[in-house]
Amino acid sequence: MQLGFKTLDDIDYIGKRILLRVDMNCSVDPKTKRITDFSRIEAVRPTLDELSKSKLVLMAHQGSPGSDDFISLEQHTEIIRDMGFDAIFVDDIFGQKAKEAIKQVKVGEILVLQNVRYFEGELKKASPKEVAQEPIVQELYPFFDFFVNDAFGAAHRSQASLVGFTTVLPSVAGRLVEKEVRTLTAATSTDKHPWTLVLGGSKVEDKVSILEKLLATGRVDNALLGGLIGTLFLIAASKVPESYSAPIKGFDAAIETARKLLTKHSDTLILPEDAAIDKSNRVDCDFTEMGGNPFLDIGQKSVKKFVGIIKKSAVVFANGPMGYFEEETFATGTMKVLRAIADCKGITVVGGGHMGAMAKKMHLDNQITHISTGGGATINFLTGKKLDLILALEESAKRM
Ligand code: 3PG
């Protein structure tokens, strides 16, 4: 397959100072703030291995301001060290401390900069040229020979650390981005049906907008909804009262689109039929019996329905858990859906930090066609629109 961007094969990186952007946004225990799964760090090992002949500076985000998992990259650095690399951390992104540390990096060492989202300008989303004006890019790029982007999980975000450097440095994709693009291109080039999307988790505003685009392609036969996105649609369909919107960030912006989609795609959108709530232990019940208790998982009737559809599908893409999977009792819906995906004989892709980590924990990796590190990125890929990160790398390739 011909790629429109350049890769590590196209540059002479030996001995050079390289800025590497990765997505090592990991699941974090909301109480202890410890990383619970580091498969996204493992996923960039091939790139780290290959660049061990360079002076490597690593840049990444973790969570976003206000989220439970918005933590420093110190723990990530320890994990990289435990993986056998000579990694050190600097608590700075582009200030004097970071610059001094960057100058000192030796061949074979990895310097990890602080969480890029500690810098406000990183949250701005605009064209590569615009975000390249942010100080994170302007202050750092003169120190580097090449920019390598291996942050597939964030490939749909046009932010400074992801696309800005591609306008000022020769830029190529890392091995993970290359592998994801090749594998997802192969998986999406089938026209087999039924084609099923399993969508759960939070980031509701993002997901509704991408669902709208995906449904417009006409590719999706079934969209099974769980997690907070499922709750949004249940409210939109007046199956549960609006009071259940409390945990949904971006509810007001998303509800109208959800209503519109329900009118237009009523046969495709498949909502949960019951819920699991906590009454000192798990209780599966109809919506009328929830009594204001939070929606913590899809209930047994929903699981049965979702599993039946998944098993008969020719293609399944899944992203986002069905409920509060952090608690074992409420992980059942997500686990049964994953088991059905593993049993499905068609092409199956599971994406996103949470679902991917759980599939691996359940040892289902060998029964699923591809476990993608991308959640939002992978779903965006399915719409056929090129991801921002890829577009930026393609533009850079033209200039190189
Ligand atoms: C993800 O977890 O999907 C990526 O790391 C991107 O994170 P974001 O949705 O917070 O930009």
Side-chain angles (χ1 to χ4, degrees):
M1 174 198 159
Q2 187 76 25
L3 297 168
F5 50 84
K6 297 203 183 286
T7 70
L8 290 177
D9 294 329
D10 300 301
I11 56 169
D12 176 15
Y13 50 76
I14 295 175
K16 302 281 168 47
R17 199 184 282 139
I18 310 277
L19 179 62
L20 171 65
R21 174 57 158 105
V22 296
D23 185 329
M24 49 182 186
N25 191 22
C26 296
S27 299
V28 170
D29 183 311
K31 293 187 192 106
T32 63
K33 302 288 176 195
R34 299 297 299 172
I35 291 174
T36 53
D37 168 80
F38 59 91
S39 32
R40 273 183 165 170
I41 308 183
E42 270 291 346
V44 292
R45 185 194 277 276
T47 302
L48 297 183
D49 273 338
E50 221 165 313
L51 293 177
S52 64
K53 298 179 194 82
S54 311
K55 302 167 189 166
L56 195 56
V57 177
L58 212 139
M59 186 175 244
H61 74 277
Q62 171 65 56
S64 326
S67 68
D68 278 341
D69 57 352
F70 188 45
I71 59 168
S72 151
L73 297 190
E74 221 168 336
Q75 273 185 70
H76 305 66
T77 313
E78 279 165 32
I79 292 168
I80 296 171
R81 220 176 287 135
D82 292 345
M83 282 162 59
F85 295 96
D86 187 1
I88 45 165
F89 170 74
V90 60
D91 183 11
D92 191 14
I93 309 169
F94 55 85
Q96 215 41 45
K97 223 157 96 181
K99 287 178 184 167
E100 283 310 316
I102 290 168
K103 283 194 250 171
Q104 305 298 324
V105 183
K106 296 186 187 63
V107 169
E109 282 179 354
I110 303 177
L111 172 71
V112 181
L113 302 178
Q114 184 54 285
N115 185 347
V116 288
R117 289 191 182 165
Y118 282 14
F119 164 58
E120 216 181 306
E122 173 64 12
L123 301 165
K124 177 174 164 186
K125 289 172 190 150
S127 69
K129 275 214 164 100
E130 252 176 277
V131 292
Q133 297 314 314
E134 290 296 328
I136 189 172
V137 178
Q138 292 300 321
E139 294 291 323
L140 287 181
Y141 90 84
F143 291 89
F144 295 96
D145 298 298
F146 294 107
F147 176 63
V148 178
N149 200 336
D150 217 13
F152 184 77
H156 55 312
R157 305 272 186 226
S158 193
Q159 292 169 324
S161 73
L162 290 156
V163 297
F165 290 97
T166 62
T167 67
V168 283
L169 283 172
S171 304
V172 305
R175 293 299 180 207
L176 177 65
V177 164
E178 195 186 336
K179 180 177 150 203
E180 291 273 16
V181 170
R182 287 187 191 282
T183 317
L184 288 171
T185 305
T188 46
S189 51
T190 169
D191 38 14
K192 287 190 181 148
H193 285 272
W195 202 106
T196 297
L197 174 73
V198 184
L199 197 59
S202 52
K203 298 186 188 171
V204 159
E205 233 181 303
D206 275 2
K207 280 182 183 152
V208 168
S209 113
I210 199 63
L211 184 59
E212 187 175 21
K213 290 186 191 127
L214 202 46
L215 291 173
T217 64
R219 167 182 278 176
V220 187
D221 300 303
N222 312 296
L224 314 180
L225 305 181
L228 288 182
I229 178 95
T231 310
L232 172 86
F233 275 83
L234 286 172
I235 297 169
S238 304
K239 300 215 176 208
V240 298
E242 197 159 321
S243 52
Y244 279 94
S245 67
I248 306 179
K249 276 193 208 130
F251 173 82
D252 291 336
I255 189 76
E256 270 319 308
T257 316
R259 287 201 181 107
K260 202 173 76 186
L261 292 180
L262 278 170
T263 314
K264 212 167 163 192
H265 302 279
S266 56
D267 294 343
T268 311
L269 292 166
I270 300 170
L271 311 191
E273 292 182 346
D274 56 350
I277 56 170
D278 191 4
K279 281 196 169 175
S280 66
N281 50 29
R282 178 182 171 120
V283 175
D284 288 73
C285 62
D286 288 336
F287 301 132
T288 49
E289 299 162 334
M290 288 175 75
N293 286 293
F295 198 122
L296 294 178
D297 194 8
I298 53 171
Q300 278 173 27
K301 274 198 272 182
S302 319
V303 169
K304 198 166 166 218
K305 180 155 190 180
F306 286 12
V307 164
I309 294 171
I310 290 167
K311 285 195 177 167
K312 284 194 210 125
S313 298
V315 184
V316 183
F317 274 83
N319 169 226
M322 296 291 101
Y324 188 53
F325 75 102
E326 290 91 342
E327 289 269 345
E328 213 182 316
T329 0
F330 299 106
T332 318
T334 307
M335 290 171 81
K336 289 199 171 156
V337 159
L338 276 171
R339 171 119 2 243
I341 294 173
D343 290 343
C344 170
K345 299 278 175 280
I347 296 165
T348 51
V349 178
V350 170
H354 299 319
M355 284 285 255
M358 185 163 280
K360 283 188 185 152
K361 202 167 134 196
M362 291 169 71
H363 306 290
L364 301 176
D365 350 5
N366 294 333
Q367 291 157 260
I368 293 172
T369 313
H370 177 52
I371 297 188
S372 172
T373 52
T378 301
I379 302 286
N380 271 273
F381 190 97
L382 301 181
T383 64
K385 187 180 162 280
K386 268 198 190 146
L387 300 172
D388 290 310
L389 179 153
I390 305 298
L391 280 172
L393 285 178
E394 288 184 355
E395 283 306 309
S396 176
K398 286 183 204 156
R399 285 190 292 268
M400 275 165 79

